[in-house]
Amino acid sequence: MEKRKIDIFDTTLRDGEQGPGCLLTLQSKLEIAERLELMGVDIIEVGFPISSPADFKAVSAVSKLIKNAKICALARAREIDIDAAAEALKGAKFPRIQLGIGSSDIHIRNKFNSTREKILDIAFNMVRYAANKVDEVQFFAEDAGRSDNVFLAKMVQTVVEAGAKIVNLPDTNGFCTPFEYYEKVKFVMDNVPNIDKVKISVHCHDDLGMATANTIAGLLAGAHQAEGTINGVGERAGNAALEEIIMTLMVKDLPFFTIVNPIYISGLSKIVETAMSNYVQANKAVVGRNAFAHSSGIHQDGVLKDRSNYEIIDPKLIGGDLPDLILTARSGRAALKNRMAALNIPYVENEFEQYYEQFLRLADTKSVVTGEDLTAIFEISKN
Ligand code: KIV
Ligand code: ZN
């Protein structure tokens, strides 16, 4: 079966920056955008121009800088938002406006104090308005995760008639399970008469820790574009982590692929971490500092025999270093010998047990035994 290409839509600079404390300087936005382009990301969403002068300036500056990736700016379904987005995108080679409105009854009632019919009218008119300003209009059906599927399908049909080329079905509140999200996207794919005129995008939040799983489920149901952020930053619990989506596409034999080059993942993750002062948790998939660290004796022995025993991703593939085996109180003799050899610490074979016991005594008092610790023990044990 021929694999279909998935467009990768990065929203680190927009949704990612919405995370509390994640504000980025213009300089950082330019640097991150350049790295995203180098990595081969298809679309970079840079900001929400109407929201602040700095966001407008960022969209404008990134639009002028980036030559290959499409540049997207966010707008609500209002003319002044769309005007600001179009103006900020003026320098972009491939501009895209993403505009949208609530699709769930909760949003329609509690946020807009409106009705389904009125919301459909606004969506139609505003997509039409934006389609006169840029070639590519992406519509987001906000809170699609909690919307009624029949109404959602009607909304997609309406905005496609108005000229939307991409429709995003966000699980805005991270409410769905993968099976529910699969069903939702599949329902839209199967029940919208003009579905062949549009690309469907998936945008998942991590409130229940299912953002990446939901994204993959949405792609399996037929979506064409996956949205996410580097390190999974974003509103509340964050967005689907782009590095997780990309590596899932690389590691698994799925009916689709991406052209993104994963070699830049590790470096970009560190740039985003530093620029946002938002530290990546140690056990974060793909980019956490422990993501490739093996510390128990059983695992270390297996890795020393063949890394594939306990590694499904080659860290070199994401531009990471092959990490040292972490020496802890759970480490075995094989790991200790391996590290001693790496540190050029000589030992007499029949004295090794003694050495191992000494190592364990220290390991029981601290979480990780470093190379310096080993050298120090060795010096002590020589005297
Ligand atoms: O989560 C969401 O609904 C969004 C939209 C603006 C796309 O971020
Ligand atoms: Zn979002």
Side-chain angles (χ1 to χ4, degrees):
M1 203 207 340
E2 207 177 309
K3 295 193 179 216
R4 61 198 167 84
K5 176 182 174 274
I6 297 299
D7 290 342
I8 299 293
F9 179 111
D10 178 274
T11 183
T12 307
L13 303 181
R14 198 279 295 168
D15 213 333
E17 205 212 22
Q18 282 175 220
C22 291
L23 195 72
L24 291 167
T25 61
L26 177 60
Q27 205 44 45
S28 296
K29 287 186 186 179
L30 291 167
E31 184 186 7
I32 293 167
E34 264 183 325
R35 295 286 175 137
L36 288 166
E37 169 159 74
L38 195 65
M39 184 155 113
V41 158
D42 300 275
I43 305 107
I44 304 171
E45 186 172 47
V46 183
F48 183 16
I50 192 81
S51 69
S52 78
D55 234 30
F56 184 99
K57 203 167 155 196
V59 174
S60 179
V62 173
S63 293
K64 288 174 192 141
L65 178 74
I66 296 301
K67 296 288 164 266
N68 300 315
K70 296 180 175 181
I71 302 299
C72 185
L74 187 75
R76 288 164 299 182
R78 293 182 182 189
E79 290 186 6
I80 50 162
D81 283 37
I82 297 166
D83 291 343
E87 186 62 29
L89 285 167
K90 264 204 173 124
K93 211 160 163 212
F94 306 107
R96 177 184 294 186
I97 293 177
Q98 158 152 247
L99 73 104
I101 197 159
S103 64
S104 67
D105 288 328
I106 301 174
H107 274 211
I108 293 172
R109 211 175 36 239
N110 302 349
K111 193 173 153 184
F112 297 103
N113 188 23
S114 191
T115 62
R116 288 182 175 188
E117 292 66 34
K118 286 186 191 153
I119 291 290
L120 284 186
D121 264 4
I122 297 171
F124 182 89
N125 290 330
M126 290 303 101
V127 168
R128 183 145 274 195
Y129 184 78
N132 281 322
K133 307 224 166 225
V134 287
D135 282 347
E136 269 193 358
V137 175
Q138 170 166 330
F139 178 83
F140 68 92
E142 197 182 14
D143 203 19
R146 293 188 297 172
S147 68
D148 168 55
N149 289 349
V150 175
F151 177 67
L152 185 63
K154 180 82 193 141
M155 189 176 236
V156 175
Q157 180 184 347
T158 303
V159 296
V160 176
E161 281 164 6
K165 302 243 174 80
I166 305 99
V167 177
N168 181 9
L169 307 178
D171 186 19
T172 304
N173 292 295
F175 179 70
C176 290
T177 61
F179 188 67
E180 285 163 349
Y181 197 62
Y182 176 93
E183 294 271 274
K184 188 171 285 292
V185 176
K186 185 89 173 74
F187 186 89
V188 167
M189 300 305 297
D190 292 345
N191 291 283
V192 173
N194 48 5
I195 195 74
D196 56 316
K197 296 192 171 50
V198 68
K199 283 187 175 181
I200 294 296
S201 185
V202 286
H203 174 118
C204 299
H205 279 267
D206 211 28
D207 300 66
L208 292 173
M210 297 194 217
T212 300
N214 285 346
T215 304
I216 301 301
L219 295 176
L220 285 167
H224 312 83
Q225 175 177 288
E227 306 194 5
T229 59
I230 299 295
N231 299 340
V233 288
E235 282 275 354
R236 307 179 310 279
N239 287 64
L242 218 50
E243 63 276 8
E244 295 172 14
I245 300 170
I246 293 164
M247 292 321 293
T248 304
L249 266 55
M250 302 271 161
V251 166
K252 307 292 292 183
D253 186 17
L254 294 167
F256 31 78
F257 68 97
T258 167
I259 56 162
V260 166
N261 185 346
I263 197 82
Y264 298 103
I265 286 178
S266 185
L268 187 50
S269 162
K270 291 193 177 75
I271 289 173
V272 170
E273 177 178 43
T274 309
M276 289 186 167
S277 302
N278 187 32
Y279 296 100
V280 173
Q281 75 188 59
N283 59 323
K284 162 83 184 58
V286 184
V287 291
R289 92 171 169 274
N290 289 350
F292 302 99
H294 308 279
S295 73
S296 81
I298 295 171
H299 286 215
Q300 289 179 332
D301 182 52
V303 165
L304 286 171
K305 287 175 177 144
D306 191 321
R307 300 197 79 91
S308 72
N309 282 324
Y310 289 101
E311 268 174 19
I312 60 161
I313 300 170
D314 178 349
K316 291 200 288 303
L317 214 61
I318 61 157
D321 300 322
L322 271 187
D324 288 326
L325 298 181
I326 306 295
L327 292 179
T328 70
R330 306 289 154 262
S331 296
R333 291 167 181 77
L336 184 58
K337 278 186 184 170
N338 172 273
R339 179 65 78 83
M340 286 170 69
L343 292 169
N344 288 322
I345 300 177
Y347 64 88
V348 181
E349 187 64 48
N350 61 13
E351 284 175 10
F352 184 78
E353 266 321 294
Q354 213 181 312
Y355 195 85
Y356 182 63
E357 271 166 35
Q358 223 169 333
F359 156 75
L360 279 185
R361 268 200 298 278
L362 178 65
D364 269 338
T365 66
K366 61 189 302 226
S367 60
V368 173
V369 175
T370 64
E372 276 170 21
D373 292 333
L374 287 186
T375 315
I377 301 179
F378 182 67
E379 287 305 323
I380 293 162
S381 65
K382 263 198 337 195
N383 302 330

